[in-house]
Amino acid sequence: MKTKWMCMILMLALALHLSACGDRQENGNSSENGAINMEPQSLEDDSSENTGNESSEMNVIDQQDNGTDKNIVAVSGVKDSAFSGKVSGCYYADGNRIIVAADQLYLYDAGKGETIASADISMGDLCVQTFTDGYFVVGQGKAEGGSNGSFAASESDGINGYILNKDFAVQDTISFSGLLSDDFILQITGIAISQDGKQVAFGGLQGLYLYDVSSRKVRTILNYSEEGTAGNMQIVTMDSLTFTGNNTLVYVGMATDTSIGGDGVSVYGTVSTDSANFTITQMGDYKVDTEEVQKGGNLLIMPQSFDKNNGTLLMLDTISNTEKTMSFSSRSEGKDGVYCSGQGKYVATAILEESSVTINIYDTASGKSIHTETVQDSNSTYFLRVPQILILDESGTCIVVLGRGIDEVSTLITTFGFVG
Protein backbone atom coordinates (compact mmCIF):
# COMPACT_ATOMS: atom_id res chain seq x y z
CA MET A 1 0.00 0.00 0.00
CA LYS A 2 1.18 3.55 -0.67
CA THR A 3 0.63 6.42 1.76
CA LYS A 4 -0.31 9.75 0.14
CA TRP A 5 0.23 13.12 1.75
CA MET A 6 -1.88 16.09 0.69
CA CYS A 7 -0.91 19.51 1.97
CA MET A 8 -3.07 22.58 2.04
CA ILE A 9 -2.07 26.16 2.88
CA LEU A 10 -1.88 26.71 6.64
CA MET A 11 -2.79 23.03 7.29
CA LEU A 12 -0.60 20.00 7.91
CA ALA A 13 -2.19 16.52 7.91
CA LEU A 14 -0.40 13.50 9.30
CA ALA A 15 -1.30 9.97 8.24
CA LEU A 16 -0.91 7.54 11.15
CA HIS A 17 -0.29 3.80 10.93
CA LEU A 18 -2.50 2.36 13.69
CA SER A 19 -3.48 -1.09 14.83
CA ALA A 20 -7.03 -2.32 14.07
CA CYS A 21 -10.18 -0.27 14.16
CA GLY A 22 -8.92 3.23 14.86
CA ASP A 23 -6.33 4.35 17.40
CA ARG A 24 -7.13 8.02 17.98
CA GLN A 25 -4.08 10.07 18.91
CA GLU A 26 -3.61 13.82 19.05
CA ASN A 27 -1.41 14.62 16.08
CA GLY A 28 -1.74 18.35 15.61
CA ASN A 29 -4.07 18.22 12.62
CA SER A 30 -5.99 21.46 12.58
CA SER A 31 -8.77 23.16 10.72
CA GLU A 32 -10.48 26.39 11.43
CA ASN A 33 -12.89 24.54 13.71
CA GLY A 34 -10.55 22.31 15.76
CA ALA A 35 -8.38 19.20 15.72
CA ILE A 36 -9.43 16.41 13.40
CA ASN A 37 -7.88 12.95 13.07
CA MET A 38 -8.62 10.57 10.21
CA GLU A 39 -7.02 7.14 10.08
CA PRO A 40 -8.30 4.79 7.34
CA GLN A 41 -7.27 1.16 7.63
CA SER A 42 -7.39 -2.14 5.77
CA LEU A 43 -7.88 -5.32 7.76
CA GLU A 44 -7.23 -8.54 5.95
CA ASP A 45 -6.22 -12.11 6.60
CA ASP A 46 -2.61 -12.42 5.41
CA SER A 47 -3.22 -16.06 4.55
CA SER A 48 -6.29 -15.38 2.42
CA GLU A 49 -6.15 -15.58 -1.34
CA ASN A 50 -9.08 -13.21 -1.74
CA THR A 51 -7.35 -10.00 -0.76
CA GLY A 52 -9.11 -8.09 -3.49
CA ASN A 53 -7.61 -4.71 -2.60
CA GLU A 54 -3.87 -5.24 -2.86
CA SER A 55 -3.56 -2.31 -5.26
CA SER A 56 -6.48 -0.21 -4.12
CA GLU A 57 -6.10 3.03 -2.26
CA MET A 58 -8.53 4.36 0.32
CA ASN A 59 -9.25 8.08 0.17
CA VAL A 60 -11.11 9.93 2.90
CA ILE A 61 -12.24 13.39 1.86
CA ASP A 62 -14.15 15.78 4.08
CA GLN A 63 -16.50 17.82 1.90
CA GLN A 64 -18.49 19.62 4.57
CA ASP A 65 -18.63 23.37 4.76
CA ASN A 66 -20.99 25.95 6.27
CA GLY A 67 -19.42 26.06 9.71
CA THR A 68 -18.40 22.42 10.17
CA ASP A 69 -15.01 20.73 10.07
CA LYS A 70 -13.00 21.48 6.93
CA ASN A 71 -10.19 19.08 6.24
CA ILE A 72 -8.90 17.28 3.15
CA VAL A 73 -6.70 14.26 3.75
CA ALA A 74 -5.91 11.26 1.56
CA VAL A 75 -4.26 8.19 3.02
CA SER A 76 -4.13 4.56 2.01
CA GLY A 77 -5.44 1.57 3.88
CA VAL A 78 -2.96 -0.07 6.25
CA LYS A 79 -2.49 -3.81 6.73
CA ASP A 80 -3.09 -4.93 10.28
CA SER A 81 -2.47 -8.26 12.00
CA ALA A 82 -4.51 -7.62 15.14
CA PHE A 83 -7.25 -10.03 14.03
CA SER A 84 -7.09 -13.42 12.34
CA GLY A 85 -9.40 -14.13 9.43
CA LYS A 86 -11.67 -11.80 7.52
CA VAL A 87 -13.37 -9.19 9.71
CA SER A 88 -17.12 -9.73 9.43
CA GLY A 89 -18.23 -6.83 11.61
CA CYS A 90 -17.52 -4.31 14.35
CA TYR A 91 -19.95 -3.62 17.19
CA TYR A 92 -20.13 -0.99 19.91
CA ALA A 93 -19.20 -2.26 23.38
CA ASP A 94 -18.79 0.75 25.71
CA GLY A 95 -16.77 3.94 25.80
CA ASN A 96 -14.00 3.56 23.22
CA ARG A 97 -14.28 -0.22 23.21
CA ILE A 98 -15.67 -2.19 20.30
CA ILE A 99 -16.17 -5.89 19.63
CA VAL A 100 -14.67 -7.15 16.37
CA ALA A 101 -15.91 -10.37 14.78
CA ALA A 102 -13.41 -12.36 12.70
CA ASP A 103 -12.25 -15.96 13.26
CA GLN A 104 -13.37 -15.29 16.85
CA LEU A 105 -14.58 -12.27 18.82
CA TYR A 106 -12.11 -9.61 19.93
CA LEU A 107 -12.59 -6.88 22.53
CA TYR A 108 -10.70 -3.92 21.13
CA ASP A 109 -9.84 -0.54 22.69
CA ALA A 110 -10.03 2.04 19.89
CA GLY A 111 -8.53 4.71 22.13
CA LYS A 112 -5.42 2.71 22.96
CA GLY A 113 -5.27 0.93 19.61
CA GLU A 114 -4.95 -2.54 21.09
CA THR A 115 -6.82 -5.80 21.55
CA ILE A 116 -7.77 -6.34 25.19
CA ALA A 117 -9.16 -9.87 25.06
CA SER A 118 -10.70 -12.46 22.78
CA ALA A 119 -13.39 -15.15 23.04
CA ASP A 120 -13.62 -18.35 21.02
CA ILE A 121 -17.02 -17.50 19.50
CA SER A 122 -17.76 -17.62 15.79
CA MET A 123 -21.16 -16.73 14.31
CA GLY A 124 -22.48 -15.83 10.91
CA ASP A 125 -24.64 -12.92 12.03
CA LEU A 126 -24.75 -11.34 15.46
CA CYS A 127 -25.99 -8.53 17.69
CA VAL A 128 -24.12 -7.12 20.68
CA GLN A 129 -25.78 -5.64 23.78
CA THR A 130 -24.26 -4.28 26.96
CA PHE A 131 -25.52 -4.65 30.50
CA THR A 132 -24.20 -3.55 33.89
CA ASP A 133 -21.60 -6.29 34.33
CA GLY A 134 -20.68 -7.27 30.80
CA TYR A 135 -21.72 -8.04 27.24
CA PHE A 136 -24.43 -10.15 25.63
CA VAL A 137 -23.72 -11.52 22.16
CA VAL A 138 -26.48 -13.30 20.26
CA GLY A 139 -26.37 -14.66 16.74
CA GLN A 140 -26.64 -17.45 14.22
CA GLY A 141 -24.25 -20.35 14.27
CA LYS A 142 -22.31 -20.60 11.02
CA ALA A 143 -23.59 -23.17 8.56
CA GLU A 144 -23.13 -23.97 4.88
CA GLY A 145 -24.69 -21.30 2.74
CA GLY A 146 -24.63 -18.80 5.61
CA SER A 147 -27.62 -17.06 7.14
CA ASN A 148 -29.04 -13.64 7.72
CA GLY A 149 -30.60 -14.10 11.13
CA SER A 150 -34.07 -14.69 9.74
CA PHE A 151 -36.81 -17.06 10.82
CA ALA A 152 -36.07 -19.40 7.92
CA ALA A 153 -32.51 -19.96 9.09
CA SER A 154 -33.09 -20.09 12.85
CA GLU A 155 -33.82 -23.77 13.12
CA SER A 156 -31.12 -25.03 10.75
CA ASP A 157 -28.24 -22.87 11.94
CA GLY A 158 -29.16 -22.46 15.59
CA ILE A 159 -29.45 -19.20 17.54
CA ASN A 160 -27.03 -18.95 20.44
CA GLY A 161 -26.49 -16.31 23.10
CA TYR A 162 -23.30 -15.73 25.08
CA ILE A 163 -23.08 -13.78 28.32
CA LEU A 164 -19.58 -12.40 28.88
CA ASN A 165 -18.22 -10.43 31.81
CA LYS A 166 -16.27 -7.16 31.54
CA ASP A 167 -13.05 -9.16 31.09
CA PHE A 168 -14.65 -10.83 28.04
CA ALA A 169 -14.81 -14.28 29.64
CA VAL A 170 -17.89 -16.38 28.74
CA GLN A 171 -20.12 -16.82 31.80
CA ASP A 172 -23.07 -18.59 30.23
CA THR A 173 -24.29 -19.95 26.89
CA ILE A 174 -27.94 -20.09 25.81
CA SER A 175 -29.15 -22.27 22.94
CA PHE A 176 -32.38 -20.53 21.94
CA SER A 177 -33.39 -23.02 19.30
CA GLY A 178 -33.88 -25.64 22.02
CA LEU A 179 -35.93 -23.51 24.41
CA LEU A 180 -39.32 -23.69 22.64
CA SER A 181 -41.09 -26.84 21.51
CA ASP A 182 -44.02 -25.22 19.71
CA ASP A 183 -42.80 -21.79 18.58
CA PHE A 184 -39.98 -20.24 16.56
CA ILE A 185 -37.75 -17.23 17.17
CA LEU A 186 -38.19 -14.78 14.31
CA GLN A 187 -34.88 -12.90 14.31
CA ILE A 188 -31.92 -12.17 16.56
CA THR A 189 -32.93 -8.52 17.02
CA GLY A 190 -35.94 -9.84 18.96
CA ILE A 191 -33.72 -11.02 21.83
CA ALA A 192 -32.68 -8.73 24.70
CA ILE A 193 -30.93 -9.00 28.07
CA SER A 194 -32.01 -7.09 31.18
CA GLN A 195 -29.75 -4.42 32.62
CA ASP A 196 -28.81 -6.63 35.58
CA GLY A 197 -28.03 -9.55 33.28
CA LYS A 198 -30.42 -11.91 35.04
CA GLN A 199 -33.15 -12.22 32.41
CA VAL A 200 -33.33 -12.57 28.63
CA ALA A 201 -36.53 -11.77 26.74
CA PHE A 202 -37.20 -13.07 23.24
CA GLY A 203 -40.02 -12.86 20.74
CA GLY A 204 -41.44 -15.76 18.79
CA LEU A 205 -44.08 -16.27 16.15
CA GLN A 206 -46.80 -16.79 18.76
CA GLY A 207 -45.65 -14.97 21.86
CA LEU A 208 -43.11 -13.15 24.01
CA TYR A 209 -40.98 -15.18 26.42
CA LEU A 210 -38.61 -14.66 29.36
CA TYR A 211 -35.57 -16.80 30.14
CA ASP A 212 -34.22 -16.79 33.71
CA VAL A 213 -30.42 -17.02 33.52
CA SER A 214 -30.06 -18.53 37.00
CA SER A 215 -32.74 -21.23 36.82
CA ARG A 216 -32.50 -21.70 33.01
CA LYS A 217 -36.29 -21.80 32.85
CA VAL A 218 -38.58 -20.15 30.30
CA ARG A 219 -42.01 -18.67 30.91
CA THR A 220 -44.46 -16.89 28.63
CA ILE A 221 -44.82 -13.15 29.14
CA LEU A 222 -47.47 -12.62 26.48
CA ASN A 223 -49.44 -14.91 24.20
CA TYR A 224 -50.21 -12.75 21.16
CA SER A 225 -53.55 -14.33 20.27
CA GLU A 226 -54.88 -14.35 23.84
CA GLU A 227 -53.35 -11.30 25.51
CA GLY A 228 -51.84 -9.24 22.70
CA THR A 229 -54.66 -6.74 22.16
CA ALA A 230 -54.68 -3.07 23.18
CA GLY A 231 -57.59 -0.95 22.01
CA ASN A 232 -58.41 -2.14 18.52
CA MET A 233 -54.83 -3.22 17.73
CA GLN A 234 -53.70 -6.85 17.78
CA ILE A 235 -49.98 -7.56 18.01
CA VAL A 236 -48.62 -9.88 15.34
CA THR A 237 -44.86 -9.87 15.96
CA MET A 238 -42.33 -8.27 18.31
CA ASP A 239 -39.30 -8.15 16.05
CA SER A 240 -37.02 -5.88 18.06
CA LEU A 241 -36.72 -5.80 21.86
CA THR A 242 -34.79 -3.75 24.40
CA PHE A 243 -34.97 -3.52 28.18
CA THR A 244 -35.45 -0.03 29.64
CA GLY A 245 -35.21 -1.41 33.17
CA ASN A 246 -35.01 -4.85 34.72
CA ASN A 247 -38.75 -5.40 34.36
CA THR A 248 -39.84 -3.28 31.40
CA LEU A 249 -39.36 -3.85 27.68
CA VAL A 250 -39.82 -1.63 24.65
CA TYR A 251 -40.63 -3.49 21.45
CA VAL A 252 -40.97 -2.66 17.76
CA GLY A 253 -43.03 -4.95 15.57
CA MET A 254 -46.17 -5.41 13.52
CA ALA A 255 -49.88 -5.29 14.45
CA THR A 256 -53.25 -5.38 12.72
CA ASP A 257 -56.32 -3.22 13.24
CA THR A 258 -59.02 -5.64 14.36
CA SER A 259 -61.78 -3.24 13.31
CA ILE A 260 -60.78 -3.11 9.65
CA GLY A 261 -58.41 -6.06 9.15
CA GLY A 262 -55.92 -5.86 6.32
CA ASP A 263 -52.16 -6.01 6.35
CA GLY A 264 -50.05 -5.40 9.41
CA VAL A 265 -48.63 -1.97 10.22
CA SER A 266 -45.50 -0.89 12.11
CA VAL A 267 -46.02 -0.37 15.83
CA TYR A 268 -44.02 0.06 19.00
CA GLY A 269 -44.97 -0.22 22.62
CA THR A 270 -44.07 -1.30 26.13
CA VAL A 271 -44.63 -4.49 28.02
CA SER A 272 -43.66 -5.43 31.58
CA THR A 273 -42.22 -8.84 32.34
CA ASP A 274 -45.38 -9.66 34.31
CA SER A 275 -47.48 -8.54 31.27
CA ALA A 276 -49.38 -6.03 33.44
CA ASN A 277 -48.28 -3.05 31.36
CA PHE A 278 -48.88 -3.57 27.65
CA THR A 279 -49.27 -0.79 25.08
CA ILE A 280 -49.40 -0.55 21.29
CA THR A 281 -48.66 2.67 19.40
CA GLN A 282 -49.21 2.82 15.65
CA MET A 283 -46.78 4.82 13.51
CA GLY A 284 -49.18 5.93 10.80
CA ASP A 285 -47.65 5.46 7.34
CA TYR A 286 -44.15 5.12 8.76
CA LYS A 287 -42.80 1.60 8.08
CA VAL A 288 -39.88 0.48 10.24
CA ASP A 289 -37.06 -1.81 9.18
CA THR A 290 -37.23 -3.88 12.38
CA GLU A 291 -33.85 -5.53 11.80
CA GLU A 292 -32.19 -2.08 11.87
CA VAL A 293 -33.74 -0.74 15.11
CA GLN A 294 -30.96 0.48 17.42
CA LYS A 295 -30.73 1.76 20.98
CA GLY A 296 -28.31 4.53 21.91
CA GLY A 297 -28.53 5.73 25.49
CA ASN A 298 -32.21 6.43 26.14
CA LEU A 299 -33.04 6.79 22.44
CA LEU A 300 -34.59 4.07 20.31
CA ILE A 301 -33.72 4.72 16.66
CA MET A 302 -36.25 3.31 14.17
CA PRO A 303 -35.00 3.61 10.56
CA GLN A 304 -37.55 3.41 7.77
CA SER A 305 -37.89 0.42 5.51
CA PHE A 306 -35.97 0.80 2.24
CA ASP A 307 -39.10 0.83 0.10
CA LYS A 308 -40.78 3.56 2.19
CA ASN A 309 -37.78 5.79 2.84
CA ASN A 310 -38.48 9.53 2.49
CA GLY A 311 -35.55 11.11 4.29
CA THR A 312 -37.01 11.14 7.80
CA LEU A 313 -36.16 9.23 10.97
CA LEU A 314 -38.42 8.38 13.89
CA MET A 315 -36.84 8.24 17.35
CA LEU A 316 -38.36 7.33 20.71
CA ASP A 317 -37.18 8.60 24.09
CA THR A 318 -37.64 5.44 26.17
CA ILE A 319 -37.64 7.35 29.46
CA SER A 320 -40.35 9.90 28.64
CA ASN A 321 -41.96 7.65 26.00
CA THR A 322 -42.11 10.59 23.58
CA GLU A 323 -41.48 10.57 19.82
CA LYS A 324 -39.08 12.79 17.91
CA THR A 325 -38.65 13.05 14.14
CA MET A 326 -35.47 14.05 12.31
CA SER A 327 -35.30 15.18 8.69
CA PHE A 328 -32.18 14.39 6.67
CA SER A 329 -30.63 16.65 4.05
CA SER A 330 -32.49 14.94 1.19
CA ARG A 331 -35.53 12.70 0.80
CA SER A 332 -33.42 9.84 -0.57
CA GLU A 333 -31.04 9.87 2.39
CA GLY A 334 -31.37 6.93 4.76
CA LYS A 335 -31.97 4.16 2.23
CA ASP A 336 -28.28 3.14 2.38
CA GLY A 337 -28.28 2.87 6.15
CA VAL A 338 -28.96 4.84 9.34
CA TYR A 339 -26.64 4.33 12.31
CA CYS A 340 -26.91 5.41 15.95
CA SER A 341 -24.02 6.22 18.29
CA GLY A 342 -23.52 4.21 21.46
CA GLN A 343 -24.89 6.92 23.76
CA GLY A 344 -27.48 8.25 21.32
CA LYS A 345 -25.94 11.69 20.80
CA TYR A 346 -25.49 11.23 17.06
CA VAL A 347 -26.90 9.38 14.08
CA ALA A 348 -25.17 8.90 10.74
CA THR A 349 -26.43 8.15 7.27
CA ALA A 350 -24.58 6.57 4.37
CA ILE A 351 -24.97 7.62 0.74
CA LEU A 352 -23.51 5.09 -1.69
CA GLU A 353 -22.07 6.05 -5.07
CA GLU A 354 -20.25 3.94 -7.66
CA SER A 355 -16.82 4.32 -6.04
CA SER A 356 -17.49 6.12 -2.77
CA VAL A 357 -19.70 6.42 0.28
CA THR A 358 -20.54 9.73 1.94
CA ILE A 359 -21.30 9.74 5.65
CA ASN A 360 -23.41 12.53 7.14
CA ILE A 361 -23.40 12.84 10.93
CA TYR A 362 -26.35 14.50 12.70
CA ASP A 363 -26.79 15.73 16.26
CA THR A 364 -29.90 14.01 17.69
CA ALA A 365 -30.70 16.84 20.10
CA SER A 366 -30.80 19.60 17.47
CA GLY A 367 -31.39 17.51 14.36
CA LYS A 368 -28.64 19.44 12.57
CA SER A 369 -25.99 17.98 10.26
CA ILE A 370 -22.61 18.54 11.92
CA HIS A 371 -20.11 16.68 9.73
CA THR A 372 -19.79 15.12 6.27
CA GLU A 373 -17.08 12.70 5.19
CA THR A 374 -16.56 10.90 1.87
CA VAL A 375 -14.69 7.60 1.68
CA GLN A 376 -13.37 6.58 -1.73
CA ASP A 377 -11.57 3.51 -3.06
CA SER A 378 -10.47 2.48 -6.54
CA ASN A 379 -12.15 -0.92 -6.04
CA SER A 380 -15.86 -0.22 -6.55
CA THR A 381 -16.77 -3.65 -5.14
CA TYR A 382 -16.66 -2.12 -1.66
CA PHE A 383 -19.66 0.06 -2.46
CA LEU A 384 -21.99 -2.65 -3.74
CA ARG A 385 -23.47 -3.12 -0.25
CA VAL A 386 -24.31 -0.80 2.60
CA PRO A 387 -21.43 -0.24 5.02
CA GLN A 388 -21.39 -0.77 8.76
CA ILE A 389 -20.86 2.44 10.72
CA LEU A 390 -20.07 2.90 14.41
CA ILE A 391 -19.94 6.25 16.22
CA LEU A 392 -18.05 6.60 19.51
CA ASP A 393 -19.60 9.52 21.40
CA GLU A 394 -16.85 10.29 23.88
CA SER A 395 -13.95 10.52 21.44
CA GLY A 396 -15.89 11.84 18.44
CA THR A 397 -14.78 8.93 16.27
CA CYS A 398 -16.62 7.38 13.33
CA ILE A 399 -15.67 3.87 12.17
CA VAL A 400 -16.67 2.81 8.64
CA VAL A 401 -16.51 -0.91 7.76
CA LEU A 402 -16.58 -1.83 4.07
CA GLY A 403 -16.65 -5.20 2.34
CA ARG A 404 -17.36 -7.27 5.46
CA GLY A 405 -20.02 -9.34 3.71
CA ILE A 406 -18.29 -9.59 0.33
CA ASP A 407 -16.06 -12.65 -0.07
CA GLU A 408 -14.21 -11.27 -3.08
CA VAL A 409 -12.47 -8.51 -1.10
CA SER A 410 -10.81 -8.11 2.26
CA THR A 411 -12.46 -5.91 4.85
CA LEU A 412 -11.58 -2.22 4.92
CA ILE A 413 -11.98 -0.30 8.18
CA THR A 414 -11.67 3.47 7.97
CA THR A 415 -11.87 5.84 10.92
CA PHE A 416 -12.21 9.62 11.06
CA GLY A 417 -12.78 12.18 13.75
CA PHE A 418 -15.44 14.85 14.03
CA VAL A 419 -16.37 17.67 16.38
CA GLY A 420 -19.87 17.48 17.90
Side-chain angles (χ1 to χ4, degrees), residues 111-399:
K112 297 179 180 179
E114 63 185 22
T115 297
I116 301 170
S118 63
D120 189 14
I121 298 172
S122 179
M123 291 183 287
D125 189 30
L126 60 90
C127 292
V128 173
Q129 301 171 35
T130 61
F131 62 98
T132 302
D133 296 322
Y135 312 102
F136 179 58
V137 180
V138 59
Q140 297 281 351
K142 287 185 177 179
E144 286 189 23
S147 70
N148 59 4
S150 67
F151 160 70
S154 63
E155 286 303 292
S156 60
D157 295 350
I159 297 177
N160 296 315
Y162 298 89
I163 299 175
L164 300 92
N165 62 19
K166 286 292 186 181
D167 294 325
F168 218 54
V170 177
Q171 303 296 294
D172 201 358
T173 302
I174 306 169
S175 177
F176 287 95
S177 297
L179 293 181
L180 303 174
S181 60
D182 57 354
D183 201 354
F184 301 97
I185 298 175
L186 295 173
Q187 56 192 43
I188 60 176
T189 55
I191 303 174
I193 193 167
S194 60
Q195 293 179 358
D196 60 10
K198 296 180 179 180
Q199 303 175 105
V200 177
F202 57 99
L205 188 63
Q206 302 174 36
L208 177 66
Y209 307 92
L210 190 70
Y211 174 85
D212 184 273
V213 174
S214 178
S215 68
R216 297 179 179 270
K217 293 183 178 179
V218 177
R219 66 177 177 86
T220 302
I221 297 176
L222 201 70
N223 184 297
Y224 298 154
S225 62
E226 298 175 3
E227 307 156 307
T229 301
N232 61 339
M233 299 300 294
Q234 169 74 50
I235 197 72
V236 176
T237 60
M238 293 183 176
D239 303 299
S240 179
L241 293 170
T242 183
F243 274 91
T244 58
N246 291 325
N247 301 306
T248 304
L249 288 150
V250 174
Y251 70 87
V252 181
M254 300 291 290
T256 57
D257 189 327
T258 57
S259 64
I260 60 175
D263 297 332
V265 295
S266 289
V267 296
Y268 69 83
T270 58
V271 58
S272 59
T273 55
D274 60 5
S275 70
N277 175 30
F278 174 57
T279 66
I280 300 178
T281 301
Q282 187 176 347
M283 303 183 194
D285 294 331
Y286 193 96
K287 182 181 177 182
V288 177
D289 185 344
T290 55
E291 292 191 20
E292 298 301 324
V293 173
Q294 304 153 55
K295 187 172 185 290
N298 296 327
L299 280 183
L300 195 66
I301 305 298
M302 298 179 281
Q304 288 195 80
S305 176
F306 174 88
D307 59 333
K308 296 293 184 180
N309 177 74
N310 64 358
T312 61
L313 174 67
L314 182 64
M315 301 178 287
L316 177 70
D317 187 314
T318 59
I319 300 300
S320 62
N321 199 36
T322 56
E323 293 182 5
K324 181 178 180 179
T325 301
M326 176 183 294
S327 295
F328 299 134
S329 299
S330 69
R331 288 181 58 85
S332 62
E333 196 171 339
K335 65 180 179 63
D336 295 332
V338 178
Y339 313 87
C340 179
S341 67
Q343 297 174 19
K345 294 180 180 179
Y346 311 101
V347 295
T349 62
I351 304 171
L352 285 170
E353 302 292 346
E354 183 176 349
S355 59
S356 68
V357 59
T358 296
I359 297 96
N360 288 331
I361 298 178
Y362 295 82
D363 179 89
T364 55
S366 66
K368 294 181 179 179
S369 175
I370 60 172
H371 191 88
T372 294
E373 203 86 19
T374 295
V375 177
Q376 297 178 329
D377 192 85
S378 59
N379 189 341
S380 60
T381 304
Y382 285 109
F383 308 102
L384 295 177
R385 296 187 187 179
V386 297
Q388 184 185 34
I389 296 176
L390 284 75
I391 307 173
L392 308 183
D393 300 78
E394 294 179 1
S395 59
T397 302
C398 184
I399 302 171

Side-chain angles (χ1 to χ4, degrees), residues 62-130:
D62 186 352
Q63 298 181 331
Q64 183 78 342
D65 52 18
N66 298 326
T68 58
D69 304 321
K70 296 179 180 178
N71 201 15
I72 299 179
V73 178
V75 290
S76 64
V78 179
K79 279 190 176 182
D80 193 278
S81 58
F83 316 118
S84 298
K86 180 180 173 66
V87 173
S88 59
C90 296
Y91 307 86
Y92 177 75
D94 53 65
N96 281 328
R97 293 183 175 187
I98 63 174
I99 293 174
V100 179
D103 63 324
Q104 57 183 330
L105 296 186
Y106 297 86
L107 182 63
Y108 182 83
D109 191 312
K112 297 179 180 179
E114 63 185 22
T115 297
I116 301 170
S118 63
D120 189 14
I121 298 172
S122 179
M123 291 183 287
D125 189 30
L126 60 90
C127 292
V128 173
Q129 301 171 35
T130 61

